[in-house]
Amino acid sequence: IWKKALAQIVELACYGKGTVLVLGESGTGKELVAKLIHDLDPRLDKEDLVLLDCSTVVPELFGSEFFGHEKGAYTNAVGMRDGAFALANHGTLFLDEIGELPLSLQAALLRVIQEGTYKRVGGNLWKKTDFRLVSATHRPLEKFVDQGKFRQDLFYRMTDLVVHLPPLRERRLDIPALTKHFIAQLSSASEPPRLGPYLKQYLMTRAYPGNIRELRQLIQRLLSRHAGEGPLTLGHLSESERGELTQEELSWQGEGFTQAIRHALTQGVGLKEIKKIAGDIAIQLAIEDAEEHLPTAASRLDVSERLVQSWWKEREGGNS
């Protein structure tokens, strides 16, 4: 799911100028997608990426945040101020939580997208702006359209591409790679610590309501408690997190494992393929943990070294 979404993002960012709507739960990486689209945008006159979280803007200041204002437009408007439309000119405007935008401002945004012009609050002069619009929300915008809470014409103008970012519970096999990335990114040690096997198991089965953002914050907390040269272990969890550990979370046959198989079955994957994929993953993880020392990996898997060597040779041959 994630690779397909990423391919769509890269294609539109590099070869198109269309609007993008990013859908996903909190913490799934919507802002990172906006930054990726902006970074890949090939425009020669490209300016800045401007981020505006619609859920944090005070309703009375919505107009000023988007359009800017002239001196004296408000009681406290002691000077002229540029809004998001001006700041994003020749760049990218990322509107996070666009589902929180009031209907009156939805109409104004649609007009700016269509005509490329706007006026500052309290001003009389029309200003020009040209930006790529990337929007994001965790709200069900299509239902909002049906309920009259979101303008249908604006919805169609901002959805040349709709990208769905899956929650972390639907991409648990990515957790080891994400964890390795965050450890390398956040560790101050010259050689970042490895994960102990029980902690790795815990990370794979843990619930992540905050998705990837929550995983990153957890890794940061683990590293803050790590000292010395040993691996990261369950002992580096906070007392409250250790107290929440259950046998279910520590069991490899826990809910995460069950959900992965259920997801495969709903997609029509048969038992033979499930067994093969599970076996491939087990061998791959064992080889990674053994730092590509195949005899150690075979011992851990309780299989012959010849089987592991054959699997490794076939994989390396396919990657060459």
Side-chain angles (χ1 to χ4, degrees):
I1 299 174
W2 168 241
K3 287 183 179 179
K4 182 179 179 181
L6 187 61
Q8 292 176 314
I9 292 165
V10 171
E11 182 178 5
L12 185 73
C14 294
Y15 305 109
K17 299 180 180 179
T19 57
V20 182
L21 174 64
V22 187
L23 302 175
E25 297 176 8
S26 176
T28 50
K30 298 189 289 293
E31 184 176 325
L32 289 176
V33 168
K35 290 179 179 178
L36 176 63
I37 292 171
H38 180 72
D39 290 343
L40 294 176
D41 191 322
R43 285 178 291 175
L44 297 177
D45 62 345
K46 182 175 65 177
E47 293 291 340
D48 297 334
L49 168 67
V50 176
L51 289 77
L52 185 58
D53 188 340
C54 300
S55 67
T56 64
V57 179
V58 179
E60 294 77 15
L61 297 179
F62 262 119
S64 177
E65 289 287 345
F66 280 81
F67 297 91
H69 62 248
E70 299 289 354
K71 180 179 180 180
Y74 301 107
T75 302
N76 296 322
V78 295
M80 185 273 292
R81 178 180 184 273
D82 278 333
F85 294 146
L87 296 172
N89 189 28
H90 297 301
T92 303
L93 178 58
F94 174 52
L95 297 182
D96 198 7
E97 297 304 340
I98 196 169
E100 311 300 325
L101 209 60
L103 283 168
S104 59
L105 203 54
Q106 291 176 29
L109 175 60
L110 177 64
R111 192 177 307 114
V112 174
I113 295 172
Q114 290 177 329
E115 301 174 7
T117 58
Y118 68 97
K119 287 182 182 180
R120 291 196 187 104
V121 177
N124 296 315
L125 296 177
W126 288 99
K127 306 283 185 178
K128 289 186 178 181
T129 186
D130 178 23
F131 54 81
R132 180 199 286 271
L133 178 65
V134 180
S135 309
T137 184
H138 72 283
R139 300 283 193 178
L141 277 197
E142 291 191 70
K143 289 184 179 179
F144 277 22
V145 170
D146 294 337
Q147 296 167 359
K149 297 179 181 179
F150 201 89
R151 292 181 64 103
Q152 186 179 57
D153 45 6
L154 175 60
F155 178 78
Y156 289 137
R157 287 304 297 262
M158 54 184 267
T159 53
D160 290 333
L161 174 65
V162 179
V163 178
H164 295 263
L165 300 186
L168 192 53
R169 63 180 174 275
E170 293 181 7
R171 45 181 302 204
R172 287 189 177 274
L173 293 180
D174 292 337
I175 290 176
L178 289 167
T179 300
K180 185 176 181 180
H181 168 73
F182 290 142
I183 289 176
Q185 182 186 69
L186 299 171
S187 176
S188 58
S190 57
E191 188 169 333
R194 297 181 60 194
L195 286 179
Y198 292 110
L199 178 60
K200 182 181 292 187
Q201 185 177 327
Y202 167 72
L203 293 176
M204 288 293 291
T205 57
R206 184 184 189 274
Y208 294 95
N211 293 294
I212 298 174
R213 183 188 296 123
E214 182 174 340
L215 174 61
R216 185 182 189 277
Q217 291 170 343
L218 175 58
I219 298 303
Q220 195 163 31
R221 292 197 299 273
L222 288 167
L223 289 171
S224 70
R225 299 186 186 93
H226 179 266
E229 299 180 355
L232 289 168
T233 68
L234 290 174
H236 292 105
L237 292 170
S238 68
E239 187 175 340
S240 60
E241 287 169 326
R242 286 199 303 271
E244 293 171 359
L245 288 174
T246 64
Q247 189 61 37
E248 173 73 12
E249 288 173 316
L250 293 175
S251 170
W252 68 273
Q253 296 172 317
E255 181 63 21
F257 185 77
T258 302
Q259 288 296 338
I261 294 177
R262 179 177 288 116
H263 187 58
L265 291 173
T266 58
Q267 295 203 0
V269 181
L271 181 59
K272 184 177 180 180
E273 187 174 356
I274 290 175
K275 285 183 176 179
K276 182 182 184 305
I277 293 172
D280 287 344
I281 292 171
I283 297 174
Q284 180 180 335
L285 291 175
I287 292 175
E288 288 177 0
D289 288 347
E291 297 182 344
E292 299 186 5
H293 187 253
L294 302 190
T296 301
S299 176
R300 175 122 185 243
L301 292 163
D302 194 23
V303 297
S304 68
E305 187 178 334
R306 179 179 295 179
L307 187 149
V308 176
Q309 288 175 339
S310 175
W311 185 93
W312 181 252
K313 185 177 181 181
E314 182 179 345
R315 176 176 180 260
E316 290 299 290
N319 292 337
S320 61

CSV table of all heavy atoms in Angstrom, one decimal, residues 73-113:
chain,number,residue,atom,x,y,z
A,73,ALA,N,-6.3,47.3,9.6
A,73,ALA,CA,-7.4,46.4,9.3
A,73,ALA,C,-8.1,45.9,10.5
A,73,ALA,O,-9.3,45.7,10.5
A,73,ALA,CB,-7.0,45.3,8.4
A,74,TYR,N,-7.4,45.7,11.6
A,74,TYR,CA,-7.9,45.3,12.8
A,74,TYR,C,-7.4,46.2,13.9
A,74,TYR,O,-6.6,47.1,13.7
A,74,TYR,CB,-7.4,43.9,13.2
A,74,TYR,CG,-7.8,42.8,12.2
A,74,TYR,CD1,-6.8,42.2,11.4
A,74,TYR,CD2,-9.1,42.3,12.2
A,74,TYR,CE1,-7.1,41.2,10.5
A,74,TYR,CE2,-9.4,41.3,11.3
A,74,TYR,CZ,-8.4,40.7,10.5
A,74,TYR,OH,-8.8,39.7,9.6
A,75,THR,N,-8.0,46.1,15.1
A,75,THR,CA,-7.6,47.0,16.2
A,75,THR,C,-6.1,46.9,16.5
A,75,THR,O,-5.5,47.9,16.7
A,75,THR,CB,-8.4,46.6,17.5
A,75,THR,OG1,-9.8,46.7,17.2
A,75,THR,CG2,-8.1,47.5,18.6
A,76,ASN,N,-5.6,45.6,16.5
A,76,ASN,CA,-4.2,45.4,16.8
A,76,ASN,C,-3.3,45.2,15.6
A,76,ASN,O,-2.2,44.8,15.7
A,76,ASN,CB,-4.1,44.1,17.7
A,76,ASN,CG,-4.8,44.3,19.0
A,76,ASN,OD1,-4.7,45.4,19.6
A,76,ASN,ND2,-5.4,43.2,19.5
A,77,ALA,N,-3.8,45.6,14.4
A,77,ALA,CA,-3.1,45.4,13.2
A,77,ALA,C,-2.2,46.7,13.0
A,77,ALA,O,-2.5,47.6,12.3
A,77,ALA,CB,-4.0,45.3,11.9
A,78,VAL,N,-1.0,46.7,13.7
A,78,VAL,CA,-0.2,47.8,13.7
A,78,VAL,C,0.7,47.9,12.5
A,78,VAL,O,1.4,48.9,12.3
A,78,VAL,CB,0.7,47.8,15.0
A,78,VAL,CG1,-0.1,48.0,16.2
A,78,VAL,CG2,1.6,46.5,15.0
A,79,GLY,N,0.7,46.9,11.6
A,79,GLY,CA,1.5,46.9,10.4
A,79,GLY,C,0.9,46.0,9.4
A,79,GLY,O,0.0,45.2,9.7
A,80,MET,N,1.4,46.1,8.1
A,80,MET,CA,1.0,45.2,7.1
A,80,MET,C,1.5,43.8,7.3
A,80,MET,O,2.6,43.6,7.8
A,80,MET,CB,1.4,45.7,5.7
A,80,MET,CG,0.9,44.9,4.5
A,80,MET,SD,2.0,43.5,4.1
A,80,MET,CE,3.5,44.4,3.5
A,81,ARG,N,0.8,42.7,7.0
A,81,ARG,CA,1.2,41.4,7.2
A,81,ARG,C,0.8,40.5,6.0
A,81,ARG,O,-0.3,40.5,5.5
A,81,ARG,CB,0.6,40.8,8.4
A,81,ARG,CG,0.9,39.3,8.7
A,81,ARG,CD,0.2,38.9,10.0
A,81,ARG,NE,0.6,37.5,10.4
A,81,ARG,CZ,0.0,36.4,10.0
A,81,ARG,NH1,-1.0,36.5,9.1
A,81,ARG,NH2,0.4,35.2,10.3
A,82,ASP,N,1.8,39.7,5.5
A,82,ASP,CA,1.5,38.8,4.4
A,82,ASP,C,0.9,37.5,5.0
A,82,ASP,O,1.2,37.1,6.1
A,82,ASP,CB,2.8,38.4,3.7
A,82,ASP,CG,3.2,39.4,2.6
A,82,ASP,OD1,2.3,40.1,2.1
A,82,ASP,OD2,4.4,39.5,2.4
A,83,GLY,N,-0.1,37.0,4.3
A,83,GLY,CA,-0.7,35.7,4.7
A,83,GLY,C,-0.2,34.6,3.9
A,83,GLY,O,0.8,34.7,3.1
A,84,ALA,N,-0.8,33.4,4.0
A,84,ALA,CA,-0.3,32.2,3.4
A,84,ALA,C,-0.3,32.2,1.9
A,84,ALA,O,0.7,31.7,1.3
A,84,ALA,CB,-1.1,31.0,3.9
A,85,PHE,N,-1.3,32.9,1.3
A,85,PHE,CA,-1.3,33.0,-0.2
A,85,PHE,C,-0.1,33.7,-0.7
A,85,PHE,O,0.4,33.4,-1.8
A,85,PHE,CB,-2.6,33.7,-0.6
A,85,PHE,CG,-3.8,32.9,-0.3
A,85,PHE,CD1,-5.0,33.5,0.0
A,85,PHE,CD2,-3.8,31.5,-0.3
A,85,PHE,CE1,-6.2,32.8,0.3
A,85,PHE,CE2,-5.0,30.8,0.0
A,85,PHE,CZ,-6.2,31.4,0.3
A,86,ALA,N,0.3,34.8,0.0
A,86,ALA,CA,1.5,35.6,-0.5
A,86,ALA,C,2.8,34.8,-0.2
A,86,ALA,O,3.7,34.7,-1.1
A,86,ALA,CB,1.5,36.9,0.2
A,87,LEU,N,2.9,34.2,0.9
A,87,LEU,CA,4.1,33.5,1.3
A,87,LEU,C,4.4,32.3,0.5
A,87,LEU,O,5.5,31.9,0.2
A,87,LEU,CB,4.0,33.1,2.8
A,87,LEU,CG,4.0,34.2,3.8
A,87,LEU,CD1,3.7,33.7,5.2
A,87,LEU,CD2,5.2,35.1,3.8
A,88,ALA,N,3.3,31.7,0.0
A,88,ALA,CA,3.4,30.4,-0.8
A,88,ALA,C,3.5,30.7,-2.3
A,88,ALA,O,3.6,29.8,-3.1
A,88,ALA,CB,2.2,29.5,-0.6
A,89,ASN,N,3.5,32.0,-2.7
A,89,ASN,CA,3.6,32.3,-4.1
A,89,ASN,C,4.9,31.7,-4.8
A,89,ASN,O,6.0,31.8,-4.3
A,89,ASN,CB,3.7,33.8,-4.3
A,89,ASN,CG,3.5,34.3,-5.8
A,89,ASN,OD1,2.9,33.6,-6.6
A,89,ASN,ND2,4.1,35.4,-6.1
A,90,HIS,N,4.7,31.0,-5.9
A,90,HIS,CA,5.7,30.2,-6.6
A,90,HIS,C,6.3,29.1,-5.8
A,90,HIS,O,7.3,28.5,-6.1
A,90,HIS,CB,6.9,31.1,-7.0
A,90,HIS,CG,6.5,32.2,-8.0
A,90,HIS,ND1,5.9,31.9,-9.2
A,90,HIS,CD2,6.5,33.6,-7.9
A,90,HIS,CE1,5.6,33.0,-9.9
A,90,HIS,NE2,6.0,34.1,-9.1
A,91,GLY,N,5.5,28.7,-4.7
A,91,GLY,CA,6.0,27.6,-3.9
A,91,GLY,C,4.8,26.6,-3.7
A,91,GLY,O,4.1,26.3,-4.6
A,92,THR,N,4.8,26.0,-2.5
A,92,THR,CA,3.8,25.0,-2.2
A,92,THR,C,3.0,25.4,-0.9
A,92,THR,O,3.7,25.8,0.1
A,92,THR,CB,4.4,23.6,-2.0
A,92,THR,OG1,5.2,23.3,-3.1
A,92,THR,CG2,3.4,22.6,-1.7
A,93,LEU,N,1.7,25.4,-0.9
A,93,LEU,CA,0.9,25.7,0.2
A,93,LEU,C,0.4,24.3,0.8
A,93,LEU,O,-0.4,23.6,0.1
A,93,LEU,CB,-0.2,26.6,-0.1
A,93,LEU,CG,-1.2,26.9,1.0
A,93,LEU,CD1,-0.5,27.6,2.2
A,93,LEU,CD2,-2.3,27.9,0.6
A,94,PHE,N,0.8,24.0,2.0
A,94,PHE,CA,0.3,22.8,2.6
A,94,PHE,C,-0.7,23.2,3.7
A,94,PHE,O,-0.4,23.8,4.7
A,94,PHE,CB,1.4,22.0,3.2
A,94,PHE,CG,1.0,20.8,4.0
A,94,PHE,CD1,0.2,19.9,3.5
A,94,PHE,CD2,1.5,20.6,5.3
A,94,PHE,CE1,-0.3,18.7,4.2
A,94,PHE,CE2,1.1,19.5,6.1
A,94,PHE,CZ,0.2,18.6,5.5
A,95,LEU,N,-2.0,22.8,3.5
A,95,LEU,CA,-3.0,23.0,4.4
A,95,LEU,C,-3.4,21.8,5.2
A,95,LEU,O,-4.0,20.9,4.7
A,95,LEU,CB,-4.3,23.6,3.7
A,95,LEU,CG,-4.1,24.9,3.0
A,95,LEU,CD1,-5.4,25.3,2.3
A,95,LEU,CD2,-3.6,26.0,3.9
A,96,ASP,N,-2.9,21.7,6.4
A,96,ASP,CA,-3.1,20.5,7.2
A,96,ASP,C,-4.5,20.6,7.9
A,96,ASP,O,-4.9,21.7,8.3
A,96,ASP,CB,-2.0,20.4,8.3
A,96,ASP,CG,-2.0,19.0,8.9
A,96,ASP,OD1,-2.7,18.1,8.4
A,96,ASP,OD2,-1.2,18.8,9.8
A,97,GLU,N,-5.1,19.5,8.1
A,97,GLU,CA,-6.5,19.4,8.7
A,97,GLU,C,-7.4,20.4,8.0
A,97,GLU,O,-8.1,21.2,8.6
A,97,GLU,CB,-6.4,19.7,10.2
A,97,GLU,CG,-5.6,18.7,11.0
A,97,GLU,CD,-6.1,17.3,10.8
A,97,GLU,OE1,-7.3,17.1,10.3
A,97,GLU,OE2,-5.4,16.3,11.0
A,98,ILE,N,-7.5,20.3,6.7
A,98,ILE,CA,-8.3,21.2,5.9
A,98,ILE,C,-9.8,20.9,6.1
A,98,ILE,O,-10.7,21.8,5.9
A,98,ILE,CB,-8.0,21.1,4.4
A,98,ILE,CG1,-8.6,22.2,3.6
A,98,ILE,CG2,-8.5,19.7,3.8
A,98,ILE,CD1,-8.2,22.3,2.2
A,99,GLY,N,-10.1,19.8,6.7
A,99,GLY,CA,-11.5,19.5,7.1
A,99,GLY,C,-12.1,20.5,8.2
A,99,GLY,O,-13.3,20.5,8.4
A,100,GLU,N,-11.2,21.2,8.9
A,100,GLU,CA,-11.6,22.1,9.9
A,100,GLU,C,-11.9,23.5,9.3
A,100,GLU,O,-12.3,24.4,10.0
A,100,GLU,CB,-10.5,22.3,10.9
A,100,GLU,CG,-9.9,21.0,11.5
A,100,GLU,CD,-11.0,20.2,12.2
A,100,GLU,OE1,-11.9,20.7,12.8
A,100,GLU,OE2,-11.0,18.9,12.0
A,101,LEU,N,-11.7,23.7,8.0
A,101,LEU,CA,-11.9,25.0,7.4
A,101,LEU,C,-13.4,25.4,7.3
A,101,LEU,O,-14.2,24.6,6.8
A,101,LEU,CB,-11.3,25.0,5.9
A,101,LEU,CG,-10.7,26.2,5.3
A,101,LEU,CD1,-9.6,26.8,6.2
A,101,LEU,CD2,-10.3,26.0,3.9
A,102,PRO,N,-13.8,26.6,7.8
A,102,PRO,CA,-15.2,27.0,7.7
A,102,PRO,C,-15.6,27.2,6.3
A,102,PRO,O,-14.8,27.5,5.4
A,102,PRO,CB,-15.2,28.3,8.5
A,102,PRO,CG,-13.8,28.8,8.5
A,102,PRO,CD,-12.9,27.6,8.5
A,103,LEU,N,-16.9,27.0,6.1
A,103,LEU,CA,-17.5,27.1,4.7
A,103,LEU,C,-17.2,28.4,4.1
A,103,LEU,O,-16.9,28.5,2.9
A,103,LEU,CB,-19.0,26.9,4.8
A,103,LEU,CG,-19.5,25.4,4.9
A,103,LEU,CD1,-20.9,25.3,5.3
A,103,LEU,CD2,-19.2,24.6,3.6
A,104,SER,N,-17.2,29.5,4.8
A,104,SER,CA,-17.0,30.8,4.2
A,104,SER,C,-15.6,30.9,3.7
A,104,SER,O,-15.3,31.5,2.6
A,104,SER,CB,-17.2,31.9,5.3
A,104,SER,OG,-16.3,31.7,6.4
A,105,LEU,N,-14.6,30.4,4.4
A,105,LEU,CA,-13.2,30.4,3.9
A,105,LEU,C,-13.0,29.4,2.8
A,105,LEU,O,-12.1,29.5,1.9
A,105,LEU,CB,-12.2,30.2,5.0
A,105,LEU,CG,-10.8,30.7,4.8
A,105,LEU,CD1,-10.9,32.2,4.4
A,105,LEU,CD2,-10.0,30.5,6.1
A,106,GLN,N,-13.8,28.3,2.8
A,106,GLN,CA,-13.7,27.3,1.7
A,106,GLN,C,-14.0,28.0,0.4
A,106,GLN,O,-13.3,27.8,-0.7
A,106,GLN,CB,-14.7,26.2,1.9
A,106,GLN,CG,-14.3,25.3,3.1
A,106,GLN,CD,-15.3,24.2,3.3
A,106,GLN,OE1,-16.0,23.8,2.4
A,106,GLN,NE2,-15.4,23.7,4.6
A,107,ALA,N,-15.0,28.8,0.4
A,107,ALA,CA,-15.4,29.6,-0.9
A,107,ALA,C,-14.3,30.5,-1.3
A,107,ALA,O,-14.0,30.6,-2.5
A,107,ALA,CB,-16.7,30.4,-0.6
A,108,ALA,N,-13.7,31.2,-0.3
A,108,ALA,CA,-12.6,32.1,-0.6
A,108,ALA,C,-11.4,31.3,-1.2
A,108,ALA,O,-10.7,31.8,-2.2
A,108,ALA,CB,-12.2,32.9,0.6
A,109,LEU,N,-11.1,30.2,-0.6
A,109,LEU,CA,-9.9,29.4,-1.1
A,109,LEU,C,-10.2,28.9,-2.5
A,109,LEU,O,-9.3,28.9,-3.3
A,109,LEU,CB,-9.7,28.2,-0.1
A,109,LEU,CG,-8.7,27.2,-0.6
A,109,LEU,CD1,-7.3,27.8,-0.7
A,109,LEU,CD2,-8.6,26.0,0.4
A,110,LEU,N,-11.4,28.5,-2.8
A,110,LEU,CA,-11.7,28.0,-4.1
A,110,LEU,C,-11.5,29.1,-5.1
A,110,LEU,O,-11.0,28.9,-6.2
A,110,LEU,CB,-13.2,27.5,-4.2
A,110,LEU,CG,-13.7,27.1,-5.5
A,110,LEU,CD1,-13.0,25.9,-6.1
A,110,LEU,CD2,-15.2,26.8,-5.5
A,111,ARG,N,-11.9,30.3,-4.8
A,111,ARG,CA,-11.8,31.5,-5.7
A,111,ARG,C,-10.3,31.8,-6.0
A,111,ARG,O,-9.9,32.0,-7.1
A,111,ARG,CB,-12.4,32.7,-5.1
A,111,ARG,CG,-12.6,33.9,-6.0
A,111,ARG,CD,-13.3,35.1,-5.4
A,111,ARG,NE,-14.6,34.6,-4.8
A,111,ARG,CZ,-14.8,34.7,-3.5
A,111,ARG,NH1,-13.9,35.1,-2.7
A,111,ARG,NH2,-16.0,34.3,-3.0
A,112,VAL,N,-9.5,31.7,-5.0
A,112,VAL,CA,-8.0,31.9,-5.1
A,112,VAL,C,-7.4,30.8,-6.0
A,112,VAL,O,-6.6,31.1,-6.9
A,112,VAL,CB,-7.3,31.9,-3.8
A,112,VAL,CG1,-5.8,32.1,-4.0
A,112,VAL,CG2,-7.8,33.1,-3.0
A,113,ILE,N,-7.8,29.5,-5.8
A,113,ILE,CA,-7.3,28.5,-6.6
A,113,ILE,C,-7.7,28.6,-8.1
A,113,ILE,O,-6.9,28.4,-9.0
A,113,ILE,CB,-7.8,27.1,-6.1
A,113,ILE,CG1,-7.3,26.8,-4.7
A,113,ILE,CG2,-7.4,26.0,-7.1
A,113,ILE,CD1,-7.9,25.6,-4.1
